[in-house]
Structure formats: structure tokens, C-alpha cells
Amino acid sequence: MNLIVHKTSIFTGQVTAPSSKSQSVRGLLFALLASGKSTLTNVLASDDTQHAIQVCKDLGATITQAEGKIIVESRGIPLPSTAQLINTGNSGITTRFIMPILGLRYHPQQPIILDCNEQMRSRPIRSLATALTALGMTCAYQGQAGSCPIAVSGELQGGIAEVEGITSQYLSALLIALPCAPQDSEIRVHDLHERPYVELTLSWLQEQGIYFEHQRLGKMDIYKIRGKHRYQPFQKTIMGDFSSASYLLAAASLFEGSVTLQGLDMSDSQGDKQLIDILQKMGADIRVNRNDIIVHGGKPLQGIAIDANEIPDLLPTLAVLGVHASGETRIYNVPQARIKETDRIHSMTEGLRRLGAKVEEFKDGLTVSNSQLRGAVVEGYDDHRTVMALALAGMQAEGETVITQGEAINKTFPTFVSLMCSLGAKMELINVAQ
């Protein structure tokens, strides 16, 4: 499908942010590992969470959905799964988080194939697989070494392992599963990126009463996790997602009007809430209240330098803001943006250049200069964040902007088009004739 976007003049109204994908998937997997009935409210409805739900079912959980709640009933560990194949679609978080959990099954010596869609097959898992081997499991690649599909067997026993820090998902995957291992564990992480996402995981461990220690030595982080824990069932409401809300906040700042955004919790560990501070530094008029965030848009923005190491998912949004800001906006120290659903540094450079922006690409980021945009056909790279960020650019461009593979928004933000249009955007998804 193509996402067709026309220039926006007024962006105003009240809207509730979509719920957090990161918290939704964590909630489902903690509920899977807990023995008993857990209730999650306000879980995000998206492709990624649907894959996480299916994985939980494949591993023995019973899941019912009613009245805005998801009820997960599980026998806990060892997981009573007899599945021979699990497919996680294009969900990187589900793929990586589930790998160590596969070592907590009743019959872990029976291999289970973990597969995914083509896009996820191109994303790396080698460092996590190597760590799992040190922790008692066996990982056998079924295709290209270092990526899915992979046959996983063996018990997650615990012990000492090292993992790369280029994506926080490797570490979070281990932190979720290792408390349930029979032995204590020590995980050493080199050059850890995306620390706020690790804090999200640790907050779940704290709520479960899990004992862990953290030590930081130069560029190495050491996590010690006590084993033999059993997760307890829980009830939790998933709060709004600052990553998805970034498009709403950015648009509200770029265009004339006043937008009230509800459903976000500033005390949540999500790193992407940093966007509010970044926008304020650039000159946006944003007021954060107890129950909402109010943005008075259309104020002049000034380009700044942004270290995006902790907030890689914001890189596409920040790049579009740089087009509107005076001077230059430099986004740096975010090399991991190249190993997301697509190489986002490259996808945003190419897309914005096609729309007429002045962009300089670097190994770890990019620099965007104030530019006048004109509509064009741009590649969405089947990446939800590239598509939504380029839609923001299209809202600024003269003429019509066509973004290919617009259906990628369903991965995390299926209601993106309807919410944006409710506030004044002019965009629509259309089927492309075969």
C-alpha cells in the first residue's frame, strides 16, 4: 500500500497516545513465565504484539481478550510447549526476547525452530546465540550464520556469558529469562546502547522482587542475576508509548494549532520521553501537566546537536524536525539505527533528499539543514518508523508525497493515519494496483 500525504496547515485537537509496544511485549512474556493468571490492560493492538501473543500460546499459555483486557493463564516454568516451530514475523523484540525463554521448556533437549519474516531474517542475533551457548543452550543456524531461522535446544542453566551492547534487546532477553534458570548468572555487556530500554526491563524485575546487581566498569556493564526465582502473576495497565507519540508531538510542534496529548506517564522508564526536552530546547512551546501534555505549535525551531544513543527510534523523527529548524540539526552517536527494521540512517537520508532536503550522512548519524520540501515518491523500506517520519516530512512538503509500503505502520501504530487526520493531517493509505 502507498501512504499519500498532502501539505498540512493546521494541526489541532485532543488525542490519546497509543500504548507502549515495549511494555506490552514485556508484559506478555512476564505473564507467560508466571504461574497463574495475569491481567494486562491497554495492551497495544499491533502486528508486533499479535506475534508476541501467538508465541505465548505456542509456549503453552491460554490467552483471552475481553473488555480492553488480555488475560494470560500460564503454568509457568518449565513451559509445557510441544511446538516444533515458532514464527515471530518481523518483530525483533519478540524474536530476541524469546530465544533464552526456549531454554525453559519441559523438554528443552527437543529442538524448536525459531523463524521469522524476511526482514527480521536480515537482522543480527549472533551475539545472543553465542551467549546462550555459554549458558547451557545449543543454537544451530538453519540458513545464514548469525540470523534466523535457528534451531534452539538445551536448558538455560545460567552461568557467565558476554553479549554485545549494540542493541539493548540482547541484554533484556537474558535479564528476563535468567532469573528462572537453576543457577546464578553473570552477564557482561560491551558498550551498552539504549540504556533506557534496559531500565524498562529492570523495573519489571524489581516489581517481581528479583535480586540483581549492576556494576559499570568503563565501557563494560556487569549484571549479576540470582537464579531459581519464580515469577508471580500480576495485574498491570500498559501506559502510552513515547515512541509512537513522537510523531504526534513533532507534528504538533511543527504546525499551527494546539494539541493536547493524553495517556503518557512521564515517570515511565521509556527513553523516548526525552523528545519533549529536545523539542523544548529547539524552541517548541510544550507544557507537561499531571494528566496531559499540551503543545502550542508553529513556533520557530532552532537546530541543535543531539546524542541519540539512548533514543535510536527517534532518529527518523528528529531528522524531519531538522528540516524545519533553522541552521543545522546534528544527530550522532547512534550507529545501532543501522540495524533496525532497515538502515534508518540511510533510509531517512535518501527519503529526505528525494523530498529536497539537505542531508549529510555519517557512520553514526546524520546532519540535516533547514530546507524547503517538495512532494515526491519515496521508499518506505517496509519500516514503520521510516514511513511515519516521512509522512511528517510530507505534511511539510508542497504537492503530493507518496510513501511506498505504507502498511508497515501496522507493526506498532495501526491507527497512525486516522489519529493524524483527526488532528488536521491530510493523508490516506491506498492499495496499489497489482
Side-chain angles (χ1 to χ4, degrees):
M1 301 180 75
N2 286 344
L3 179 58
I4 311 298
V5 186
H6 291 91
K7 188 171 183 178
T8 297
S9 54
I10 301 293
F11 198 75
T12 190
Q14 181 174 301
V15 68
T16 300
S19 51
S20 168
K21 177 196 77 170
S22 297
Q23 294 286 45
S24 293
V25 173
R26 282 170 173 79
L28 289 165
L29 296 182
F30 274 94
L32 168 69
L33 294 172
S35 178
K37 181 189 293 186
S38 297
T39 302
L40 295 166
T41 304
N42 197 39
V43 172
L44 176 68
S46 72
D47 288 350
D48 271 16
T49 49
Q50 285 304 312
H51 281 110
I53 287 171
Q54 185 57 52
V55 164
C56 290
K57 291 178 178 179
D58 291 339
L59 292 176
T62 299
I63 298 182
T64 55
Q65 303 182 49
E67 299 178 353
K69 297 180 179 180
I70 291 182
I71 299 172
V72 182
E73 297 181 77
S74 177
R75 292 169 59 180
I77 60 165
L79 298 169
S81 174
T82 58
Q84 298 179 332
L85 171 68
I86 287 180
N87 191 297
T88 54
N90 279 333
S91 178
I93 184 174
T94 305
T95 303
R96 290 161 175 161
F97 280 16
I98 207 66
M99 285 175 63
I101 291 176
L102 297 179
L104 300 173
R105 295 174 290 142
Y106 258 116
H107 303 288
Q109 299 310 322
Q110 297 180 359
I112 185 168
I113 302 296
L114 178 62
D115 202 0
C116 51
N117 291 357
E118 196 63 34
Q119 186 187 70
M120 183 57 211
R121 284 186 178 185
S122 67
R123 299 175 68 182
I125 59 168
R126 183 191 298 272
S127 181
L128 179 55
T130 300
L132 293 180
T133 300
L135 296 168
M137 298 174 65
T138 299
C139 298
Y141 299 113
Q142 303 298 288
Q144 182 177 348
S147 14
C148 287
I150 187 170
V152 181
S153 60
E155 181 185 11
L156 182 68
Q157 297 173 353
I160 299 175
E162 296 186 359
V163 71
E164 295 176 356
I166 188 66
T167 168
S168 63
Q169 289 178 356
Y170 296 156
L171 174 59
S172 281
L174 296 171
L175 290 173
I176 291 170
L178 282 173
C180 302
Q183 301 176 21
D184 295 348
S185 300
E186 180 178 303
I187 304 302
R188 300 169 182 173
V189 190
H190 297 280
D191 194 17
L192 179 60
H193 295 49
E194 307 170 350
R195 289 182 181 274
Y197 286 109
V198 178
E199 293 301 319
L200 280 184
T201 303
L202 294 177
S203 68
W204 280 90
L205 296 184
Q206 289 167 339
E207 289 177 9
Q208 285 284 336
I210 303 303
Y211 179 82
F212 64 87
E213 296 179 7
H214 174 218
Q215 184 180 14
R216 192 169 177 179
L217 298 174
K219 285 200 169 186
M220 178 176 287
D221 287 78
I222 301 173
Y223 292 84
K224 296 181 180 180
I225 307 106
R226 185 173 295 171
K228 298 181 180 179
H229 285 96
R230 292 294 181 268
Y231 290 143
Q232 301 301 311
F234 56 90
Q235 296 184 352
K236 191 175 183 72
T237 297
I238 304 300
M239 297 305 297
D241 186 51
F242 281 92
S243 301
S244 293
S246 72
Y247 312 103
L248 299 165
L249 289 165
S253 299
L254 290 171
F255 303 102
E256 294 287 342
S258 177
V259 173
T260 299
L261 188 55
Q262 298 177 323
L264 295 170
D265 182 1
M266 291 299 294
S267 67
D268 196 283
S269 300
Q270 295 178 60
D272 285 354
K273 65 185 179 183
Q274 294 180 37
L275 179 62
I276 294 172
D277 182 57
I278 291 170
L279 282 168
Q280 289 173 332
K281 288 179 179 177
M282 295 179 78
D285 183 353
I286 302 178
R287 184 169 75 246
V288 178
N289 301 315
R290 181 176 180 181
N291 297 315
D292 57 32
I293 297 171
I294 300 175
V295 185
H296 296 289
K299 302 297 188 293
L301 300 183
Q302 172 65 49
I304 61 174
I306 305 165
D307 183 339
N309 186 267
E310 294 186 347
I311 49 173
D313 286 345
L314 290 184
L315 178 138
T317 306
L318 295 172
V320 175
L321 287 169
V323 173
H324 184 81
S326 63
E328 288 187 346
T329 298
R330 179 179 169 231
I331 307 162
Y332 66 97
N333 193 26
V334 61
Q336 70 271 34
R338 293 192 182 274
I339 60 168
K340 299 296 183 177
E341 284 80 347
T342 189
D343 178 343
R344 288 178 179 156
I345 295 174
H346 181 70
S347 69
M348 291 307 300
T349 298
E350 290 300 302
L352 289 176
R353 281 178 177 170
R354 187 170 289 274
L355 291 168
K358 301 173 184 177
V359 185
E360 188 173 1
E361 180 177 347
F362 301 98
K363 182 178 180 180
D364 70 338
L366 44 80
T367 296
V368 184
S369 300
N370 180 266
S371 307
Q372 296 297 314
L373 301 183
R374 60 186 181 278
V377 178
V378 294
E379 173 66 43
Y381 290 89
D382 198 24
D383 173 33
H384 56 133
R385 302 211 183 280
T386 294
V387 169
M388 290 186 281
L390 290 175
L392 290 178
M395 291 167 65
Q396 301 176 65
E398 296 292 340
E400 180 178 271
T401 299
V402 179
I403 307 165
T404 66
Q405 298 172 312
E407 69 276 11
I409 63 174
N410 294 321
K411 180 177 172 66
T412 53
F413 199 166
T415 59
F416 173 75
V417 172
S418 60
L419 284 185
M420 296 295 282
C421 288
S422 73
L423 297 172
K426 300 174 183 178
M427 62 177 70
E428 63 176 332
L429 273 172
I430 63 170
N431 287 311
V432 181
Q434 298 297 318

